[in-house]
Amino acid sequence: MLTTNLVPSMLISHLFVLVTAFSVHEFAHAWTANFFGDDTPRRNGRLTLNPLSHLDPIGSLLLLVAGFGWAKPVPVNPYALQRRSPAAMMWVSLAGPLSNLLLAGLAAIPFRLGWVSLMDAQLAMMTRGEHILPTISQLLYVFIQVNLFLMLFNLIPLAPLDGEKIAEHLFPPSWTRVLDAVRPLGPMILLAVAFLGVLNYLIIPPLRLLMGLLIG
């Protein structure tokens, strides 16, 4: 899991990421559902980038202090989506994680172009207790890291995460019974793997790989 260590520069960095990443993530769900003909998100005020429409108080607090969290789920009508395309629900679910990948890719551009230094970012991370405000390189580094973490976390095929609906569409029909059986236990399993540290083994290796591909 990610952690802020509750120092000012890291708290500010994570607050910025939280407001941006969660809002864009949920807006991506809402926009994609609307694209496929489901106006439920729009009628519920979720077709917006306004953070107040998307942030969940408890999920946001947990992201800051525990390293994982959530926003308010975007309501959708599966039947309206199914009428437009059998894959519509999958695309609505995938839109959120893809938006986090896009944000991470955009934030990596300054590193790739040499506008900011990876070494400076890593140095700021090591001495983060000495500064109140994050440096630009530190802010971008945390922005990339957290967005990639949110993408990978949401791709885990357990309810209520996006990955469960993606898996439901992509997995063979014979797996449907397995997903149906595991679905009610999904939140408890997620809490267990989070607090037992299993998430580190699931997410940190691909997170490091993606960080290396994006910023070197």
Side-chain angles (χ1 to χ4, degrees), residues 99-172:
S99 73
N100 293 123
L101 179 60
L102 176 61
L103 288 174
L106 291 174
I109 291 174
F111 287 103
R112 284 295 183 180
L113 295 180
W115 295 346
V116 295
S117 167
L118 176 59
M119 186 176 296
D120 289 344
Q122 293 171 333
L123 180 62
M125 296 287 286
M126 289 187 291
T127 60
R128 54 196 173 189
E130 301 175 8
H131 306 285
I132 295 177
L133 295 176
T135 65
I136 295 298
S137 59
Q138 178 186 3
L139 182 61
L140 288 172
Y141 187 90
V142 172
F143 190 85
I144 296 167
Q145 186 182 54
V146 174
N147 269 286
L148 291 178
F149 180 89
L150 289 174
M151 179 195 73
L152 294 168
F153 177 71
N154 275 285
L155 288 176
I156 296 173
L158 285 172
L161 300 179
D162 300 324
E164 196 260 351
K165 293 299 182 185
I166 298 169
E168 187 176 30
H169 179 77
L170 296 178
F171 284 7

Side-chain angles (χ1 to χ4, degrees), residues 24-182:
V24 173
H25 181 108
E26 299 305 327
F27 172 77
H29 286 316
W31 185 92
T32 308
N34 191 72
F35 175 81
F36 279 105
D38 179 13
D39 65 350
T40 307
R42 178 174 56 79
R43 289 189 286 104
N44 283 270
R46 302 301 298 275
L47 196 61
T48 176
L49 287 170
N50 183 354
L52 297 178
S53 299
H54 300 298
L55 297 184
D56 177 90
I58 296 176
S60 301
L61 181 63
L62 275 175
L63 181 67
L64 290 175
V65 301
F68 72 101
W70 58 83
K72 291 187 292 187
V74 171
V76 298
N77 184 341
Y79 302 104
L81 294 171
Q82 185 72 20
R83 285 198 298 267
R84 181 62 65 90
S85 168
M89 192 67 202
M90 185 272 293
W91 286 113
V92 171
S93 300
L94 187 58
L98 285 180
S99 73
N100 293 123
L101 179 60
L102 176 61
L103 288 174
L106 291 174
I109 291 174
F111 287 103
R112 284 295 183 180
L113 295 180
W115 295 346
V116 295
S117 167
L118 176 59
M119 186 176 296
D120 289 344
Q122 293 171 333
L123 180 62
M125 296 287 286
M126 289 187 291
T127 60
R128 54 196 173 189
E130 301 175 8
H131 306 285
I132 295 177
L133 295 176
T135 65
I136 295 298
S137 59
Q138 178 186 3
L139 182 61
L140 288 172
Y141 187 90
V142 172
F143 190 85
I144 296 167
Q145 186 182 54
V146 174
N147 269 286
L148 291 178
F149 180 89
L150 289 174
M151 179 195 73
L152 294 168
F153 177 71
N154 275 285
L155 288 176
I156 296 173
L158 285 172
L161 300 179
D162 300 324
E164 196 260 351
K165 293 299 182 185
I166 298 169
E168 187 176 30
H169 179 77
L170 296 178
F171 284 7
S174 58
W175 283 59
T176 302
R177 289 191 299 273
V178 176
L179 291 172
D180 289 341
V182 173

